[in-house]
DNA sequence: GTCTATAGCCAGATAGAC
DNA sequence: GTCTATCTGGCTATAGAC
């Protein structure tokens, strides 16, 4: 009997995966707002009502796709972080950023789902916040490790008090021991990273930037230096 | 007869404006992908087929909205530029950026239309590129004026050759005389600015950044300094 | 879990009268 | 320019048989 249940559960997860896969495929053609259960069912050779056994509504399917996207992106970012353990902070930062960019370019529609315009009429449930934080946490980890290793240059200028307070509270909430001014800069760099990725994925760089990989790598390395991460190599950044 | 034609044309532009206005209102509820001519007509007390006298298709209406949005945002950015003529470059840069942010926060759905995910199945026609460039040109103007006034600090590090080539070609195309390394940094800062605005408008800063205005102002001032713009005031940024 | 059938909607676009 | 009417398609979601 447990063997039967095992088989049933296996079948269920397989169909669930197939539905999500087809739905992801359709994101490309239609966009998140027009994601249609019927169309997914049609393509899968099922009838639309059968899908409701797997996802109680269209929004639930959308939520599953969003969580999957955040998790896939987060996993790649974390892999880049782990793969560069021991390297200098700027290289690690750049590696994480490049992983984000690579995933975004490889999955533009899923990327749009999580970092593009919010889907109208769809409110993200609480379940998405955990996966959504993974990239940010990977970036923070770079700075945290650098701080622990003493390769983090402290910034001379203090941010405004309100910004400092936000950074302090964020640091406490995440239990990360970093100077609040650094954490503040990190949050800004996090948003700016996605500005670069957005513009490339969404086509704003057309006829403006052609050497996109080099451009991006350079830009995020500058971001890293702005935070206070330091790189060894041919001469310090401030002679 | 010319009076009649004048009246007719006036009526036509008035109806056209009413259609666009209602369409903008609906962007908020439905999103760009779901913008519906029928719904617009219904709300205006017209019948759907009547709209086709004003916009030959749904996509044409969308194009008009996109151009209007780029123009409205661009006009605000240019106004900020003009209002700060003579001020120091960092203040001017910050003013233009703040104008962008203010417009985006005031018109989130129109903002999403132009800087969010591309509308699926919609290809932006060539007409949008001119208006789309206005914000970027305003930012460039800040640096150009600073360069002319000698308040632009040249960067010490050269970008990679390919990035330099892009910057050079962009500078020629826009006929702007700025050191290519600066222009390269400017393009990156342009994208990064919209990363900050995106995260705020699209809700990514929820539970992360509360003092948003101070945070933003600080971040874009840092961007300006990264480009080489200098501000007078209490101590230089590099003592 | 899957099926048929159905309810109750919505859309873009066109034809032709007035 | 606006109307009615129509074509041709789409959709979410549920009920109830098997």
């Amino acid at each position: 009997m447990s063997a039967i249940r095992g088989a049933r559960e296996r079948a269920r997860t397989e169909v669930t995966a197939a539905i999500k896969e087809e739905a992801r495929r359709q994101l490309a053609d239609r966009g998140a707002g027009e994601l249609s259960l019927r169309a997914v069912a049609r393509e899968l050779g099922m009838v639309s009502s059968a899908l409701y056994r797997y996802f109680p509504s269209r929004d639930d399917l959308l939520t599953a796709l969003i969580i999957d996207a955040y998790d896939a992106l987060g996993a790649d970012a974390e892999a880049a972080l782990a793969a560069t353990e021991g390297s200098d902070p700027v290289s690690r930062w750049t590696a994480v950023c490049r992983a984000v960019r690579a995933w975004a370019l490889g999955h533009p529609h899923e990327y749009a789902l999580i970092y593009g315009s919010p889907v109208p009429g769809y409110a993200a449930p609480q379940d998405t916040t955990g996966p959504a934080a993974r990239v940010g946490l990977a970036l923070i980890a770079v700075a945290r490790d650098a701080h622990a290793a003493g390769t983090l240059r402290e910034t001379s200028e203090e941010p405004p008090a309100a910004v400092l307070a936000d950074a302090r509270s964020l640091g406490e909430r995440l239990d990360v021991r970093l100077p609040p001014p650094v954490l503040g800069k990190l949050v800004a760099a996090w948003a700016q990273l996605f500005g670069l990725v957005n513009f490339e994925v969404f086509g704003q760089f057309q006829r403006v930037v052609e050497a996109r990989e080099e451009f991006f790598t350079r830009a995020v390395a500058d971001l890293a230096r702005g935070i206070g991460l330091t790189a060894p190599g041919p001469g310090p950044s401030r002679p």
Side-chain angles (χ1 to χ4, degrees), chain A:
Chain A
M1 180 169 144
S2 100
I4 290 176
R5 178 175 297 158
R8 273 190 195 150
E9 273 170 14
R10 211 162 32 246
R12 186 159 224 291
T13 58
E14 263 166 36
V15 177
T16 305
I19 291 170
K20 291 201 288 191
E21 199 179 328
E22 175 58 30
R24 266 188 289 269
R25 243 194 29 67
Q26 295 209 0
L27 279 184
D29 315 332
R30 330 184 45 137
E34 291 84 357
L35 177 65
S36 146
L37 289 185
R38 278 186 105 96
V40 170
R42 216 177 8 246
E43 214 68 27
L44 254 47
M46 306 167 77
V47 92
S48 68
S49 56
L51 284 200
Y52 286 84
R53 298 278 165 190
Y54 297 90
F55 295 96
S57 81
R58 203 196 75 118
D59 279 8
D60 290 279
L61 174 54
L62 211 49
T63 299
L65 295 178
I66 288 172
I67 291 176
D68 281 4
Y70 274 127
D71 272 331
L73 172 61
D76 279 15
E78 285 163 13
L81 180 75
T84 53
E85 218 182 318
S87 303
D88 71 281
V90 174
S91 303
R92 296 191 81 192
W93 172 276
T94 307
V96 173
C97 290
R98 286 169 61 100
V100 170
R101 172 177 178 267
W103 189 89
L105 290 176
H107 307 80
H109 304 99
E110 288 167 83
Y111 178 81
L113 189 61
I114 52 182
Y115 288 104
S117 341
V119 181
Y122 170 85
Q126 206 63 23
D127 326 21
T128 61
T129 58
R134 290 175 69 175
V135 169
L137 290 175
L139 295 174
I140 288 175
V142 173
R144 193 232 299 127
D145 292 355
H147 184 57
T151 55
L152 182 68
R153 192 181 58 241
E154 301 265 341
T155 51
S156 46
E157 339 147 65
E158 286 264 305
V163 174
L164 211 57
D166 280 349
R168 231 186 289 274
S169 116
L170 182 68
E172 278 167 25
R173 191 141 32 91
L174 301 179
D175 195 32
V176 59
R177 248 161 278 292
L178 271 175
V182 172
L183 202 47
K185 287 210 174 220
L186 223 146
V187 172
W190 168 60
Q192 289 168 10
L193 156 64
F194 282 96
L196 292 164
V197 176
N198 260 293
F199 266 31
E200 182 168 354
V201 174
F202 296 162
Q204 226 95 20
F205 280 156
Q206 245 155 33
R207 325 210 93 249
V208 178
V209 179
E210 301 299 336
R212 310 221 168 125
E213 175 138 13
E214 293 93 324
F215 176 84
F216 178 84
T217 303
R218 177 58 171 236
V220 295
D222 282 350
L223 276 181
R225 279 188 285 271
I227 294 165
L229 302 179
T230 53
S237 63
R238 294 189 184 181

